[in-house]
Amino acid sequence: MTHTRMSPAAGPVVLGIAAHFHDAAAALLVGGELVAASHEERYTRQKQDPSLPRNAVRDCLAQAGLRINDVDCVAYYEDPAKKLHRQLWTGLPEFPDASEMALFRLDADRPRREIRELLGWDGPVEIVDHHLSHAASAYYFSGFERSAVLTVDAVGEWATSSWGLGDGAGLSLLDQIEFPHSLGLLYSAITGYLGFEVNEGEYKVMGLAPYGTPRYADKIRNLIEINDNGRFTLALDYFSFGRADGMLGDRFTELLGVPKRTPESTIDDVHRDIARSIQTVTEETLLRMVGRARDMTGSENLCMAGGVALNVVAVRRIVEEGPFAHVFVQPAAGDAGGSLGCAAVAHQRLTGERPHPRRQRSALLGSTTDSNEIAHLLGAYPTHAVHDYRGDEAGLLGAVSARLASGKVIGWYHGREEFGPRSLGGRSILADPRGDDTRDRINASVKMREAFRPFAPAVLAEHAAEHFRIDHESPFMLETCEVISPLHLPAITHVDRSARVQTVTEQENGRFYRLLKAFAERTDCPLLLNTSFNLRGEPIVHTPVDALLCFLRSDIDCLVLDDFVVDRESLPQAWITWLKGTRPPRQSCVSDNVYTLL
């Protein structure tokens, strides 16, 4: 394919790619502006799909009205040669022989090869180190002119934690901790020991922690030594990094005196206490690390990224107890966000200028669906079953807020979808936060997950301080705070009186803000329970078909697809039959689209 460069006035078009570990993603910068970003899992429906994000790339380009030959540079979020060297060092007791080195060279070229063969790209590929990609995803989208940067994850190529400084267009990493010493791997190892899936269950450990006491914290501190300068080392004789089950071996069991929990077995007090203990040690370690970041840079600003930056309880302590006046966490802080960061670095290398000088205000960076396409999809429904509010947003908001006030659980699909792990009003499940049984019901029969898992509130920004101990915006649900509301809010108040808040504005959230406003006018409650629109073990819904399937397979009461409202009680009998596990005959469905759905 011939590479065609866009006009200089438009600025470079840079496509960033993260792939080949977990949660592959693509991001597109045009003239330094972030115009689109998306996760591959949303298209393939494979949770944390690691494959080269062909679908996400295609969608990001389509949103910008571009094709692959309009791109000036493709950036990749880590150095595959360095990464493979570390993987070989971990898995092989001796230096590889000639045949193994040939395999090394072949696999190290995999990203470039797949970018060329699967995307049809024959232009330059810019390789950006993993932790530099993380750092750039935070700093270049923070709006800070100068800032300390801290990135903490499991492992990149070799780095597991990095300290850096962003200054104008420049970004440099000043120091790092290298594998196998890793705070992220320590947390993941305990996650596996508690019977949860590594790289997925860390949120569960964080949610379980407030139910316990940190009585094992001293024993876990035997696994990590934190120096006075904020660096740390792991006690490696407790770990076996070749294990797929979380890396902690028999010596840790002897230290703890507690056997490893079997997945899906009963969660006892001892498991709650272990969760609280690793959370406590993680928070202590991060506070020492951010102290070092301040000492190294002298800046009053801090940017954070890497998977550990998604530990919202630790972020709360950093904001409240740390030495920084201002903290920005990249909302897609995990590996997917590396696609933003490597694209930003490539832009800076191409132009010498800083990309995206303003603070990122929205994570609604994915695609949307036209109402007419949704109307066609719903063509199989009887007329009385589908409420069409095209051209009548006030009517739609009135109808939905009334259903919410009556205790119904709503599947909400509108506008562009979110980039990052949180649903923020584009692809959300919503409910009245005042119901005493709402949390248990949604966990059990809607999300189909563990009963201890908390839910987050979305609140009108202008009313946030009336209900939560927070004095700044929190648009991405990246930190917890204390619930101080005069309202009874059991559905979103965790056992420790905390909540992971999303502040909502009309400028950034549009119709979702206006829904909250309509609900507040009806109930005097300016907030809603807001959780991701998906079932346990599945990605957040991407298409209207995905949303319909999630609606049908759960106990969601009402589905809002853009301008259309569908109530469960109005489902055709054929669909009810399907819900009970019997596939309906083809003639029972008017639309081939819906038959394919069923």
Side-chain angles (χ1 to χ4, degrees):
M1 179 178 293
T2 302
H3 178 62
T4 303
R5 187 175 182 83
M6 293 186 69
S7 67
V13 177
V14 181
L15 176 65
I17 290 177
H20 297 152
F21 180 49
H22 64 93
D23 204 9
L28 188 66
L29 295 184
V30 178
E33 293 292 326
L34 176 58
V35 298
S38 194
H39 303 256
E40 185 68 6
E41 67 170 14
R42 309 286 170 84
Y43 306 84
T44 64
R45 311 309 300 159
Q46 177 186 338
K47 185 72 171 176
Q48 295 188 331
D49 190 340
S51 58
L52 193 85
R54 289 181 289 178
N55 297 288
V57 166
R58 185 182 303 114
D59 203 353
C60 287
L61 290 170
Q63 289 179 62
L66 300 172
R67 297 178 300 173
I68 191 67
N69 61 347
D70 294 317
V71 172
D72 292 283
C73 177
V74 172
Y76 190 70
Y77 82 129
E78 64 185 6
D79 187 319
K82 292 179 183 178
K83 177 180 178 179
L84 193 53
H85 184 269
R86 188 258 304 162
Q87 292 171 324
L88 289 168
W89 178 88
T90 303
L92 297 176
E94 299 177 357
F95 196 79
D97 61 21
S99 62
E100 289 166 339
M101 285 304 295
L103 179 63
F104 175 91
R105 286 191 293 271
L106 176 64
D107 284 350
D109 192 51
R110 180 186 175 192
R112 289 184 177 88
R113 186 175 66 252
E114 290 192 357
I115 288 169
R116 181 175 65 253
E117 295 176 356
L118 301 182
L119 300 184
W121 170 252
D122 64 357
V125 176
E126 191 76 18
I127 300 297
V128 180
D129 281 1
H130 188 93
H131 269 240
L132 182 58
S133 293
H134 274 320
S137 75
Y139 172 63
Y140 284 129
F141 296 90
S142 69
F144 297 143
E145 182 60 29
R146 188 176 189 274
S147 178
V149 184
L150 178 65
T151 66
V152 188
D153 64 3
V155 61
E157 296 89 358
W158 285 96
T160 66
S161 300
S162 299
W163 289 266
L165 175 65
D167 191 353
L171 173 62
S172 57
L173 299 184
L174 307 176
D175 194 13
Q176 66 184 33
I177 295 173
E178 294 189 347
F179 180 86
H181 304 285
S182 169
L183 183 60
L185 285 178
L186 173 61
Y187 202 96
S188 291
I190 300 295
T191 297
Y193 203 84
L194 287 171
F196 301 122
E197 185 179 352
V198 173
N199 289 327
E200 175 66 22
E202 286 80 2
Y203 293 127
K204 299 180 183 182
V205 175
M206 185 171 55
L208 186 62
Y211 290 93
T213 60
R215 62 186 172 112
Y216 293 101
D218 283 342
K219 292 186 176 181
I220 290 177
R221 290 186 187 103
N222 285 312
L223 275 64
I224 182 169
E225 180 180 353
I226 311 170
N227 301 326
D228 291 338
N229 65 359
R231 294 178 61 86
F232 64 84
T233 56
L234 297 185
L236 298 179
D237 47 350
Y238 286 98
F239 295 85
S240 176
F241 292 103
R243 292 170 62 128
D245 63 352
M247 301 167 291
L248 285 169
D250 294 338
R251 188 165 182 222
F252 179 71
T253 302
E254 294 171 4
L255 170 71
L256 212 59
V258 179
K260 179 180 177 181
R261 174 178 170 264
T262 302
E264 304 299 330
S265 64
T266 301
I267 296 174
D268 297 321
D269 285 344
V270 65
H271 305 122
R272 300 180 184 95
D273 293 344
I274 294 171
R276 179 63 176 272
S277 299
I278 182 59
Q279 179 64 32
T280 297
V281 172
T282 298
E283 292 168 16
E284 293 171 350
T285 306
L286 285 170
L287 282 169
R288 299 279 285 276
M289 295 175 75
V290 300
R292 182 167 195 249
R294 178 62 190 270
D295 292 343
M296 293 176 73
T297 65
S299 175
E300 292 190 346
N301 303 319
L302 173 68
C303 296
M304 293 183 65
V308 178
L310 291 172
N311 190 309
V312 295
V313 182
V315 170
R316 172 190 181 181
R317 290 195 64 185
I318 290 168
V319 170
E320 293 182 350
E321 303 174 35
F324 292 95
H326 309 285
V327 177
F328 175 80
V329 179
Q330 167 53 237
D335 276 7
S339 62
L340 306 182
C342 68
V345 171
H347 174 91
Q348 194 277 335
R349 289 175 179 174
L350 285 170
T351 67
E353 298 176 355
R354 175 179 181 154
H356 201 80
R358 299 173 302 283
R359 172 169 290 216
Q360 182 180 345
R361 296 290 180 184
S362 176
L364 299 173
L365 297 166
S367 58
T368 188
T369 302
D370 184 83
S371 275
N372 292 328
E373 295 179 38
I374 296 173
H376 179 67
L377 175 67
L378 295 175
Y381 265 109
T383 304
H384 72 274
V386 177
H387 304 278
D388 184 348
Y389 289 97
R390 281 179 288 183
D392 183 16
E393 184 184 79
L396 171 76
L397 299 179
V400 177
S401 63
R403 287 165 170 78
L404 287 164
S406 70
K408 292 190 174 183
V409 178
I410 305 294
W412 176 265
Y413 181 107
H414 174 70
R416 298 184 74 177
E417 70 181 17
E418 300 88 344
F419 184 67
R422 313 291 187 209
S423 283
L424 300 169
R427 309 289 182 268
S428 292
I429 293 173
L430 308 173
D432 188 336
R434 300 171 299 168
D436 286 314
D437 65 345
T438 300
R439 172 175 153 171
D440 289 342
R441 180 195 163 193
I442 296 177
N443 268 328
S445 59
V446 177
K447 298 286 284 187
M448 303 177 188
R449 67 184 195 180
E450 298 88 351
F452 67 82
R453 302 281 295 278
F455 290 109
V459 61
L460 294 172
E462 61 267 30
H463 293 286
E466 301 166 20
H467 301 274
F468 305 98
R469 196 174 301 281
I470 191 168
D471 60 1
H472 53 274
E473 64 180 2
S474 179
F476 303 123
M477 290 186 181
L478 291 173
E479 61 182 285
T480 60
C481 60
E482 183 184 358
V483 179
I484 59 171
S485 177
L487 302 176
H488 180 56
L489 301 171
I492 56 88
T493 304
H494 205 21
V495 65
D496 59 353
R497 297 290 304 169
S498 71
R500 175 168 44 87
V501 175
Q502 176 196 4
T503 53
V504 180
T505 66
E506 186 165 21
Q507 180 178 358
E508 303 300 340
N509 302 99
R511 181 177 288 184
F512 184 50
Y513 172 90
R514 293 189 288 275
L515 174 64
L516 281 163
K517 194 87 169 175
F519 183 74
E521 290 170 355
R522 186 178 295 272
T523 65
D524 291 324
C525 177
L527 61 150
L528 289 169
L529 180 155
N530 178 17
T531 189
S532 57
F533 198 164
N534 66 302
L535 301 182
R536 181 184 181 185
E538 296 183 356
I540 295 171
V541 300
H542 172 62
T543 67
V545 170
D546 298 333
L548 276 164
L549 279 171
C550 188
F551 172 54
L552 291 170
R553 294 165 55 210
S554 68
D555 280 349
I556 294 173
D557 297 304
C558 173
L559 175 64
V560 181
L561 286 175
D562 199 20
D563 296 323
F564 299 88
V565 176
V566 182
D567 294 300
R568 175 169 294 278
E569 61 193 25
S570 300
L571 289 174
Q573 186 58 46
W575 291 32
I576 298 295
T577 302
W578 179 84
L579 283 168
K580 293 180 178 179
T582 304
R583 186 181 177 91
R586 188 176 185 87
Q587 59 268 27
S588 68
C589 297
V590 176
S591 167
D592 283 344
N593 287 334
V594 177
Y595 185 81
T596 300
L597 168 67
L598 295 174

